[in-house]
Amino acid sequence: MGWLEGDVAVVTGAGSGLGRALVDRFVAEGARVVAFDRSAERVSAVEAQHRDTVVGVVGDVTVPADNEVAVAQAISSFGRLDVFVGNAGLFDYGARLVDTPIEALAHGFDELFAVNVKGYLLGVKAAAEALGESGGSVVLTASLASRNAGVGGAVYTASKHAVVGLVEQLALELAPTVRVNAVAPGFMRTDIRGPGALGQADRTLASMPDLDELARVVLPLAVLPEPAAYTGHYVQLASRANAAATTGTVVDCDGGFSVRGMPLPPAP
Ligand SMILES: NC(=O)c1ccc[n+]([C@@H]2O[C@H](COP(=O)([O-])OP(=O)(O)OC[C@H]3O[C@@H](n4cnc5c(N)ncnc54)[C@H](O)[C@@H]3O)[C@@H](O)[C@H]2O)c1
């Protein structure tokens, strides 16, 4: 029996990368899932793979009504909502303040924060009543950049630090019925895009050839994990049986990056 047997989840950014891996894992753990993504093609692909257990919603997490549609779909298709996973996100590819024209910075900030922060806020708002009725929980995707500078640029780093603020504030506001937590993954080779205003709409981490080498150099665990490697933390936090006392936390799974400090000299 899975850890999420009988549960119903909404996962945002479910069409690719980590979100796609989360859908697969939640289904394997016994959940039924609303896969919410702005890409119709990706939503169809997820539905096709999980015909009886996944229903897709094509929409934009920055639009209030689209978040309400995703939650309403969970209720109409599966009768309840137990877990809201806020996960859709944009990166900024380390755009440096001094190198970015001020207009691009302003628009890039609006674009990225609208997805990474407002998208989570609106999703939790839309889901809160249904989660209150089921005694469910929220799990948000934070990042290595939620605690560390130098992974992204100022815009991405600020947005992922803001996710920690959302977790802490909403954990208080939604207690005692709804738990709110986050998972902070390290690097993954995914299709993640950047803001169009920063000229990054077509850029992807998947196309960076040196990611494996970067992981080997900067991560004490020295490997670049697949998105699936992070999904167990979401399952545990979502599971009433396994995380009943846990709210307001961020689970760091960064390959040891945060505790690295000074690189050790090579072994003799
Ligand atoms: N890739 C990494 O190395 C990494 C590291 C740490 C954290 N993260 C976080 O993981 C999360 C998932 O990113 P990923 O790497 O799997 O990226 P991805 O691009 O592979 O997947 C993100 C999905 O979100 C969808 N999406 C984007 N904007 C949307 C919107 N406005 N409305 C609806 N859907 C939208 C995209 O269509 C895509 O299918 C993000 O929050 C990201 O910040 C990624």
Side-chain angles (χ1 to χ4, degrees):
M1 181 159 158
W3 278 19
L4 302 178
E5 209 65 49
D7 285 350
V8 175
V10 168
V11 177
T12 77
S16 171
L18 180 56
R20 178 60 200 267
L22 284 166
V23 174
D24 295 345
R25 180 68 188 270
F26 273 41
V27 168
E29 296 289 342
R32 289 165 294 167
V33 179
V34 172
F36 178 15
D37 200 289
R38 67 180 172 187
S39 161
E41 196 182 329
R42 289 174 174 177
V43 166
S44 297
V46 186
E47 283 183 311
Q49 192 181 342
H50 300 287
R51 289 201 182 281
D52 301 327
T53 44
V54 172
V55 170
V57 168
V58 179
D60 186 332
V61 297
T62 70
V63 176
D66 288 4
N67 286 280
E68 292 177 330
V69 167
V71 171
Q73 190 69 59
I75 307 298
S76 64
S77 294
F78 304 128
R80 56 188 290 125
L81 180 66
D82 299 283
V83 191
F84 173 79
V85 180
N87 169 76
L90 299 176
F91 190 41
D92 70 358
Y93 287 89
R96 289 171 62 84
L97 185 86
V98 291
D99 300 334
T100 309
I102 195 163
E103 286 296 327
L105 190 64
H107 293 304
F109 176 95
D110 289 346
E111 213 178 310
L112 189 144
F113 263 69
V115 181
N116 292 17
V117 184
K118 188 170 77 175
Y120 287 2
L121 192 67
L122 296 177
V124 179
K125 170 66 182 168
E129 187 178 335
L131 293 176
E133 285 166 8
S134 68
S137 74
V138 171
V139 189
L140 302 178
T141 298
S143 167
L144 183 60
S146 291
R147 310 236 194 243
N148 300 282
V151 176
V155 176
Y156 185 74
T157 302
S159 81
K160 288 299 182 179
H161 276 62
V163 173
V164 178
L166 283 182
V167 166
E168 294 181 354
Q169 180 65 29
L170 297 176
L172 275 183
E173 287 193 24
L174 300 187
T177 44
V178 178
R179 297 177 298 105
V180 181
N181 296 290
V183 176
F187 305 109
M188 292 167 272
R189 189 184 300 283
T190 70
D191 192 51
I192 193 163
R193 304 300 170 109
L198 297 180
Q200 299 174 347
D202 295 324
R203 204 160 163 188
T204 74
L205 277 178
S207 62
M208 287 173 63
D210 52 357
L211 262 192
D212 287 291
E213 176 61 10
L214 180 68
R216 199 186 63 71
V217 171
V218 302
L219 303 182
L221 291 183
V223 287
L224 183 69
E226 294 296 326
Y230 299 105
T231 58
H233 298 294
Y234 291 78
V235 171
Q236 192 204 357
L237 289 171
S239 162
R240 293 181 184 83
N242 294 287
T246 306
T247 197
T249 65
V250 179
V251 174
D252 290 303
C253 36
D254 63 4
F257 182 90
S258 306
V259 296
R260 186 197 55 197
M262 180 91 78
L264 294 173

